[in-house]
Structures are given as structure tokens and as C-alpha cells.
Amino acid sequence: MKTIIINKPGDVNIIDTPKPVRKKGEALLKVLYGGICGSDLGTYRGTFAYASYPHIPGHEFSAEIVEIDENDRNLKPGMIVTCNPYFNCTKCYSCQRGLVNCCTSNETLGAQRDGAFSEYITMPIERIYDGKGLPAKTLALIEPFCISYHGVSRADVKAGDNVLVIGAGTIGVLAAVAAKAKGAKVYISDVAEKKMNYAVETFGLDGGILNDSHENFIQRVEEITGGNYFDVTIEAVGLPSTFLNCIEAAAYGARVVQIGVGKKNVDFDFTLLQKKELNVFGSRNALKKDFLELIDLVKSGKVDLEKIVTNTYSLDEADKAFSDFDKNAASMLKVVIDFTK
């Protein structure tokens, strides 16, 4: 079978690998669509904190069940599914307390372990979720939506909240969509004006804040909120500067959520946390309930996830997909690889 591999930063190839053989408790899956995550792009660029080489990327995907034993989830061959790609150890203190998304030995497909960008993969049955008839391309977008939704849930976003999401990449945009679905008034900020405006117009957000300078950013925050700043700020970039933007844009007593992953340290006036009595939440991965709730939400027709996709490539175009995304990240949102072509 064909497998996409990143040999080193900037070097993507398609290689022949053996078709996997499932073990007891696993299913054999035929991959249909896979989304290139920011972490995959970071692995391609050599900037991702958990990158190692050579490496098979990919943890956002949909698949068709090819082989599976009888199970209590009513999963059967031919069904189109998506999967939870975060492998937890079951033994650490986090896992013992049910916090499996932040397992101290977490291994995510495409990050700490080889990913799903092959024509066939195997997955434990308990990690496979029925797509409930959703299109395969849509199901490949459930996992990134879960990342965003989990962060929004961490902040307990409610109807009437003023929310600012910093970062108009896939995770940021979907965080804005999740917050909007909870009835919040939602703004999004980015240095890339075209991508920011696309998010506002496509998903009916309340406005954008171009982050082209610190002065302009703060001025717009004050104008929009009448000087009160935001009830919730969500960081979805992974840079020290955007984390500081979130701290500065937060109202007194606000909630701040950190979703973005980066490698740089931050130096800031931490007394602001005390002065504003901020509630700061880290957000890592997602939970089973996030997947199940979002499959139902998308199935209800309340969110058109495929609007997030700006570019689709065939499997044989994988190198071009990564190269184009690397060069045009300011204008490309979600890049998807079609494994069926």
C-alpha cells in the first residue's frame, strides 16, 4: 500500500509499505480522507515540538471499516467512521482520574507515534466512532473540531459572552464556530487579513481584529468592547506574542484558554494574572464525548464543516499539498488529502 512519509523537514515522499494485519480488538480500516493539521505542517517545517523523523503524519481522517469482529458498538464492515487518535496509557495519575486526554504518556497519531496517512491502518475498536451517515470528507474534519470544541468547553463559554479567538487557522476558526454555536458574540484575530475575513464571512462571526500592530490590536479590542475587554480569550496559534495578546485582551475576571502548541518560551508581567484575577486553562486533545457530541451537532445541520476546506489534493499529490500549504498558509485554511483518488 501507499504511505506518506516525512523523511526530514521539507522532504515528503510516498513509499510502499506492507498492508497492516489487525490484532484482536482492532479493526482494519481503509483511509478515505485526511486533513493536514498544523502539527503535520510543523513537522514538515521542523517546528513542531513533538516531531521526529522519518515520520508518517496524520491524525485527522475518515475511513471505511474493512474488517472487524463482532462488537458492542454495532460497528460493521462498510461503515464510514472517524477515530480518536490520542492513545493514553491507562495507568498514569491522569488516566486514573479519567483525564485521558492529558495522559502523561500520551501518544497521538502523527505526533508521538506514526500517523494515519496510509491507504490502510488498524485501530482499536474502542477508538472508532460511527459517522452516522455523514460524508467521509466531513468526518475527516471532526477531530480538529473536537480540539477547538474542547477548548471552548474548558472556558465554559455561554450565551452572551464576548469571545475573542486569536488565530484564524483551522483550530481557531473552529473554536470561533464552537463558541458561536453556544450563543456567544465571537470575534477572531489574525495577522493574515484574507484568512481572517474568510472566517468572518463564511461562518457568520461578529467581526475580525487585524493583528498588524500591538497598537491597532488594543485599539480595536477597546472599540469593540467599549473598553471592557473580552469575557473569554482563546489562543490558537502557539506563539508567545499571541498568548500575551490573550492576556491583554482579557477582561478582569475573564477566562483565557491556551490551545496552540509552540516551542518558544514566554516572558511577561505575570502579575496581570493576579491583578485581573484571570482564570487560565490549558486545553489538550479531546474526549470521547467531544467526538460523539460533534458528530451529532454536524449531523443536525447546524454547522457546515466542509466550508473550512479550501484545498483538496489526491494521495499522489501529497508532496505538493505540504509544499503549497507551507508557502501559502496565510491564505489556505484546511488542506485535505483524498486517499480515494
Side-chain angles (χ1 to χ4, degrees):
M1 67 174 184
K2 293 179 179 179
T3 293
I4 298 170
I5 192 165
I6 302 177
N7 293 302
K8 59 184 179 180
D11 183 7
V12 173
N13 282 309
I14 298 173
I15 62 173
D16 289 325
T17 56
K19 186 177 177 180
V21 177
R22 69 185 180 94
K23 302 174 183 175
K24 183 176 177 59
E26 294 182 337
L28 177 65
L29 306 177
K30 180 180 180 180
V31 176
L32 302 176
Y33 286 89
I36 298 179
C37 177
S39 61
D40 298 321
L41 182 60
T43 300
Y44 178 79
R45 289 173 166 172
T47 60
F48 183 50
Y50 304 120
S52 61
Y53 304 92
H55 203 71
I56 301 170
H59 58 259
E60 308 172 1
F61 64 95
S62 60
E64 178 183 348
I65 298 176
V66 178
E67 297 175 3
I68 193 169
D69 294 327
E70 285 192 18
N71 56 86
D72 59 3
R73 295 165 182 258
N74 201 33
L75 297 170
K76 300 175 181 178
M79 292 177 65
I80 309 302
V81 298
T82 191
C83 299
N84 182 327
Y86 326 118
F87 285 75
N88 62 295
C89 71
T90 74
K91 300 176 182 178
C92 71
Y93 189 45
S94 296
C95 288
Q96 289 173 16
R97 291 178 292 152
L99 305 174
V100 297
N101 60 302
C102 53
C103 167
T104 57
S105 301
N106 172 78
E107 292 187 354
T108 297
L109 291 179
Q112 293 90 349
R113 61 168 61 191
D114 277 334
F117 281 6
S118 296
E119 290 184 290
Y120 293 88
I121 62 170
T122 58
M123 285 291 288
I125 293 173
E126 69 268 14
R127 295 188 169 276
I128 302 172
Y129 305 133
D130 179 5
K132 296 188 176 180
L134 287 173
K137 195 171 187 179
T138 298
L139 280 174
L141 306 171
I142 291 293
E143 190 276 338
F145 198 11
C146 284
I147 295 289
S148 305
Y149 182 80
H150 186 75
V152 169
S153 298
R154 291 279 287 153
D156 191 25
V157 172
K158 301 182 292 292
D161 279 339
N162 282 320
V163 177
L164 174 63
V165 178
I166 298 183
T170 298
I171 300 303
V173 172
L174 291 178
V177 170
K180 195 69 180 172
K182 290 181 177 288
K185 192 172 184 180
V186 183
Y187 291 80
I188 195 163
S189 178
D190 205 285
V191 297
E193 187 171 16
K194 181 178 179 181
K195 193 156 64 170
M196 180 187 75
N197 290 337
Y198 177 83
V200 172
E201 296 164 6
T202 303
F203 293 99
L205 306 182
D206 294 280
I209 298 177
L210 182 62
N211 199 358
D212 54 350
S213 72
H214 180 261
E215 293 74 21
N216 180 62
F217 175 80
I218 293 298
Q219 181 181 345
R220 288 288 292 133
V221 167
E222 291 180 344
E223 289 174 354
I224 289 168
T225 64
N228 293 324
Y229 293 71
F230 285 90
D231 303 309
V232 178
T233 60
I234 299 174
E235 202 286 334
V237 180
L239 291 174
S241 60
T242 45
F243 172 75
L244 294 180
N245 287 154
C246 279
I247 298 296
E248 292 178 306
Y252 282 61
R255 291 98 75 197
V256 178
V257 182
Q258 178 66 35
I259 302 177
V261 178
K263 297 176 74 172
K264 297 181 179 180
N265 293 331
V266 61
D267 181 11
F268 75 109
D269 179 9
F270 64 87
T271 303
L272 275 174
L273 303 181
Q274 180 272 335
K275 182 179 180 180
K276 289 187 173 184
E277 198 178 53
L278 296 178
N279 302 281
V280 182
F281 300 91
S283 181
R284 187 179 188 187
N285 297 334
L287 296 166
K288 176 182 178 179
K289 76 178 191 67
D290 298 319
F291 282 86
L292 300 182
E293 288 175 10
L294 290 185
I295 288 172
D296 286 341
L297 178 65
V298 177
K299 179 70 174 175
S300 74
K302 293 180 180 179
V303 177
D304 184 356
L305 269 188
E306 289 197 27
K307 287 182 178 179
I308 204 83
V309 178
T310 54
N311 304 81
T312 303
Y313 296 81
S314 68
L315 171 57
D316 291 335
E317 297 175 312
D319 181 39
K320 179 174 172 55
F322 276 90
S323 177
D324 287 353
F325 199 9
D326 177 41
K327 296 172 184 174
N328 302 287
S331 58
M332 297 169 71
L333 196 51
K334 173 51 63 183
V335 178
V336 169
I337 295 176
D338 183 348
F339 283 78
T340 68
K341 292 182 179 180

